[in-house]
């Protein structure tokens, strides 16, 4: 009897692991779409707002969804307490501290970090042009993931179910 319960729990754990992997892929796509939205907002404020970067990002720390809310809060706090670091370094450190535990992969975080290399160091028109270029790259990246996701989600679920059933049969 205990053997069957153990087999059932093992099969369920494998199936849930596959479901978890599929959910993490969906979460990554959602976070990339949110990243794109926030960059579009920043681009619009740079183009039309004529504000400092800190003033542009401040409203986002209140309205952004997690984990970006933590990112923007920490970024504004670091920018306001200027300690001699350039914005690029502050941005990258904040990304590593606040977004590294999210569903975003390393390549996504590196793409987000690239944005910091031109923010706040050029005139508004150059910053907008560079942001548009980064948004094009991000959009291509997101569309690539969106196109591949259904197959990868199905594979993750199938592997979870198959491994659970395989181990159940093996242990019987």
């Amino acid at each position: 009897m205990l053997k069957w319960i153990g087999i059932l729990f093992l099969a369920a754990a494998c199936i849930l692991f596959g479901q978890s992997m599929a959910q993490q892929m969906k979460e990554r796509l959602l976070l990339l779409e949110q990243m794109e939205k926030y960059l579009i907002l920043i681009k619009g404020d740079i183009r039309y707002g004529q504000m400092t970067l800190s003033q542009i990002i401040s409203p986002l720390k209140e309205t952004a969804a997690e984990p970006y809310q933590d990112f923007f809060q920490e970024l504004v706090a670091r920018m306001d307490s200027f300690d001699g670091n350039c914005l690029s370094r502050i941005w990258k450190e904040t990304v590593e501290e606040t977004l590294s535990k999210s569903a975003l992969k390393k390549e996504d975080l590196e793409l987000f970090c690239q944005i910091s290399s031109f923010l706040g160091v050029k005139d508004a028109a150059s910053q907008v042009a560079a942001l548009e270029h980064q948004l094009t790259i991000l959009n291509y990246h997101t569309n690539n993931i969106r196109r591949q996701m259904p197959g990868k989600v199905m594979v993750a679920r199938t592997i979870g179910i198959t491994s659970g059933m395989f181990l159940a049969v093996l242990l019987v």
Side-chain angles (χ1 to χ4, degrees):
M1 179 68 170
L2 286 175
K3 179 180 177 180
W4 288 104
I5 292 173
I7 291 171
L8 181 65
F9 279 136
L10 184 63
C14 289
I15 292 169
L16 290 175
F17 180 72
Q19 292 292 343
S20 172
M21 287 175 51
Q23 185 60 35
Q24 195 171 24
M25 288 179 212
K26 291 179 181 180
E27 178 72 17
R28 177 184 180 207
L29 182 62
L30 176 68
L31 289 174
L32 286 170
E33 289 169 347
Q34 288 174 343
M35 182 189 302
E36 190 172 354
K37 179 181 94 172
Y38 297 132
L39 292 177
I40 290 170
L41 290 172
I42 290 170
K43 181 184 81 169
D45 283 344
I46 289 172
R47 177 178 282 158
Y48 302 113
Q50 302 298 318
M51 298 181 283
T52 65
L53 196 56
S54 182
Q55 291 171 328
I56 291 170
I57 293 174
S58 284
L60 292 176
K61 71 180 185 180
E62 307 296 330
T63 59
E66 289 293 333
Y68 292 110
Q69 186 175 34
D70 293 338
F71 168 75
F72 289 125
Q73 285 175 346
E74 183 67 24
L75 184 64
V76 168
R78 287 182 179 202
M79 287 169 57
D80 289 344
S81 67
F82 182 71
D83 61 355
N85 282 331
C86 64
L87 175 64
S88 179
R89 179 176 290 153
I90 293 171
W91 186 285
K92 288 175 184 175
E93 289 172 357
T94 308
V95 165
E96 289 170 5
E97 289 177 13
T98 58
L99 298 178
S100 61
K101 293 181 181 136
S102 68
L104 294 171
K105 291 189 175 183
K106 187 175 181 177
E107 66 232 27
D108 307 329
L109 296 176
E110 288 172 359
L111 185 62
F112 195 49
C113 284
Q114 288 175 0
I115 294 159
S116 67
S117 62
F118 55 80
L119 286 179
V121 294
K122 301 177 183 176
D123 63 300
S126 297
Q127 290 181 57
V128 168
L131 266 172
E132 286 175 351
H133 177 69
Q134 286 300 117
L135 280 167
T136 303
I137 293 169
L138 180 62
N139 191 4
Y140 176 78
H141 184 68
T142 304
N143 286 337
N144 229 5
I145 292 169
R146 187 179 292 118
R147 191 179 68 249
Q148 295 171 357
M149 193 175 70
K152 288 185 175 184
V153 165
M154 189 171 74
V155 167
R157 288 181 178 155
T158 303
I159 287 174
I161 292 169
T162 305
S163 63
M165 294 304 127
F166 174 74
L167 288 173
V169 169
L170 187 69
L171 294 173
V172 171

